[in-house]
Amino acid sequence: MSEHHHDHLNATHTHDGKPIQNDEPPSIEAESLETAVRELLMEKGVITADELRGAIEAQEQRRPELGAKIIARAWVDEDFKQKLLSHGDMAVRSFGVDMKPTELCVVENTEEVHNLVVCTLCSCYPRAILGIPPAWYKRRDYRSRAVREPRSVLSEFGTIISEDRQVRVHDSNADLRYLVLPIRPSGTDDWSEEDLAELVTRDSMIGVAEAITPDG
Amino acid sequence: MRGPQDYGGLPAGLVDPVKNEHEPTHWERRVDAIMLLLFDPKRRLARVDESRRMQEALGDDYHKYPYYERWLQAITWLLLEKGVFTQEELDKKREEVRSRLEAERNG
């Protein structure tokens, strides 16, 4: 691959090496490369415009609300919860989620343990359940520090874990994705599954936050 | 030896989750969708580990790329390596696309 090293696209970045805010349009270099690759793939019959549109729509439909439904089910249905913890991939199939080619490992928060998910090497994430990962999850600061000083990182999300609870950090990889099962908030005993799902945020399933408590 | 992607445990700055949060742009969604299609069972033209090999080969430049630009560069190299299109075809197409986009941007 060395021969390709000469034509790096001129990445859009600031002088300190940090990516620009991604709500800006991409550089003409980046946009022209993407457009050229896309058009070549279509001309060669590798992908079609319909397939591309379909893939974009499918990805837009994978949102954390789906994960929230799965967590709420686990809170109300002990059998489902046990299945989710032991055979994650199989359990989420009933929600139409296909984890292939990766495996899903669901880790449960308890009074003793708080779980936090990171991918230090890249950006592996349970995309089939939560959609596209947040920008901070893919950035260096989170990836570097989550494994060394998780409590400090958590505090930057406003999440303080008491010293008597252990913090366990899970480093995802290309084949194995983690999802956190947050603690069901107290005071929700008579809540419906649908209402419970409203308390489950994306961040609580990554482990940077806890589920929302009913009193806010 | 630690590769450029191997960030775990290194000193780094604040996460600043409020600032570093945004809905993916249309362009990012397109890159994402192209990748998913290339990875899918119908095509199997690339795998996540292959794409990572290409990203990690960026060396020190790894840090300079915004996320999706890094992925885009990686899949472009993979497609060249696998002979899906040639460097010559890509250069020609890119030149043509660039003039078109410049004309659009200049309005």
Side-chain angles (χ1 to χ4, degrees):
Chain A
M1 74 147 285
S2 54
E3 75 270 27
H4 300 138
H5 253 152
H6 305 294
D7 65 337
H8 292 179
L9 63 93
N10 295 318
T12 42
H13 57 87
T14 57
H15 63 277
D16 60 357
K18 294 221 173 78
I20 52 163
Q21 279 302 291
N22 288 325
D23 47 357
E24 292 173 23
S27 65
I28 192 112
E29 294 296 328
E31 192 178 4
S32 68
L33 180 57
E34 175 269 326
T35 307
V37 167
R38 173 164 43 91
E39 291 185 4
L40 282 172
L41 288 172
M42 287 182 189
E43 284 167 22
K44 305 258 177 199
V46 176
I47 63 173
T48 67
D50 271 351
E51 285 176 322
L52 189 62
R53 209 162 35 238
I56 293 173
E57 276 172 21
Q59 192 58 279
E60 280 173 350
Q61 280 162 12
R62 292 181 198 111
R63 300 194 63 87
E65 288 79 2
L66 176 58
K69 282 187 194 165
I70 294 171
I71 298 302
R73 172 72 52 83
W75 282 347
V76 300
D77 179 343
E78 183 62 25
D79 286 346
F80 177 77
K81 179 178 139 181
Q82 291 311 323
K83 195 173 166 193
L84 187 66
L85 293 172
S86 58
H87 297 91
D89 326 38
M90 271 160 64
V92 297
R93 255 182 238 160
S94 56
F95 286 84
V97 176
D98 181 3
M99 288 301 296
K100 278 197 210 90
T102 60
E103 261 181 66
L104 176 67
C105 177
V106 178
V107 287
E108 183 183 18
N109 283 352
T110 64
E111 297 304 328
E112 291 79 39
V113 177
H114 180 88
N115 294 284
L116 178 68
V117 178
V118 63
C119 176
T120 61
L121 292 174
C122 187
S123 54
C124 294
Y125 187 74
R127 292 168 61 115
I129 297 175
L130 300 182
I132 292 177
W136 50 260
Y137 186 86
K138 303 181 280 198
R139 287 170 56 90
R140 178 181 194 150
D141 301 321
Y142 183 76
R143 287 166 51 188
S144 299
R145 292 176 51 235
V147 286
R148 172 150 291 186
E149 35 179 355
R151 286 176 194 269
S152 300
V153 168
L154 283 165
S155 72
E156 286 157 35
F157 287 83
T159 304
I160 309 297
I161 304 297
S162 65
E163 286 298 325
D164 55 358
R165 275 177 90 195
Q166 187 188 20
V167 175
R168 257 179 225 166
V169 183
H170 304 271
D171 196 355
S172 317
N173 62 47
D175 304 313
L176 180 59
R177 310 298 162 94
Y178 292 96
L179 185 76
V180 175
L181 171 56
I183 295 179
R184 178 174 175 165
S186 54
T188 60
D189 289 355
D190 54 352
W191 283 43
S192 71
E193 195 176 321
E194 272 176 7
D195 288 342
L196 285 168
E198 301 281 323
L199 301 177
V200 186
T201 61
R202 177 198 69 196
D203 287 0
S204 72
M205 293 179 276
I206 303 173
V208 293
E210 312 226 41
I212 299 169
T213 48
D215 47 20
Chain B
M1 198 188 93
R2 201 184 262 268
Q5 79 289 355
D6 197 355
Y7 284 153
L10 294 176
L14 295 179
V15 175
D16 205 343
V18 175
K19 185 177 150 220
N20 294 307
E21 177 92 66
H22 72 277
E23 278 293 307
T25 65
H26 291 302
W27 183 80
E28 290 173 328
R29 286 190 189 281
R30 285 208 301 273
V31 176
D32 202 88
I34 292 170
M35 277 164 14
L36 289 181
L37 290 174
L38 296 177
F39 291 171
D40 77 7
K42 181 177 169 187
R43 278 153 278 259
R44 290 192 194 283
L45 267 168
R47 294 179 57 91
V48 175
D49 3 21
E50 288 180 303
S51 164
R52 277 197 31 205
R53 169 169 64 87
M54 288 297 186
Q55 293 183 44
E56 290 159 14
L58 283 163
D60 287 344
D61 285 346
Y62 180 93
H63 314 293
K64 298 179 185 165
Y65 280 72
Y67 181 77
Y68 278 102
E69 295 189 24
R70 201 167 68 219
W71 278 87
L72 174 63
Q73 188 66 76
I75 56 174
T76 305
W77 281 334
L78 274 179
L79 292 168
L80 287 167
E81 189 179 79
K82 288 167 189 251
V84 175
F85 47 69
T86 64
Q87 184 70 54
E88 198 183 5
E89 286 174 313
L90 178 64
D91 291 344
K92 183 162 167 270
K93 172 63 85 181
R94 202 163 167 199
E95 204 47 50
E96 180 192 314
V97 167
R98 177 196 269 277
S99 329
R100 207 167 73 208
L101 291 176
E102 273 169 357
E104 280 171 22
R105 287 193 181 197
N106 298 330

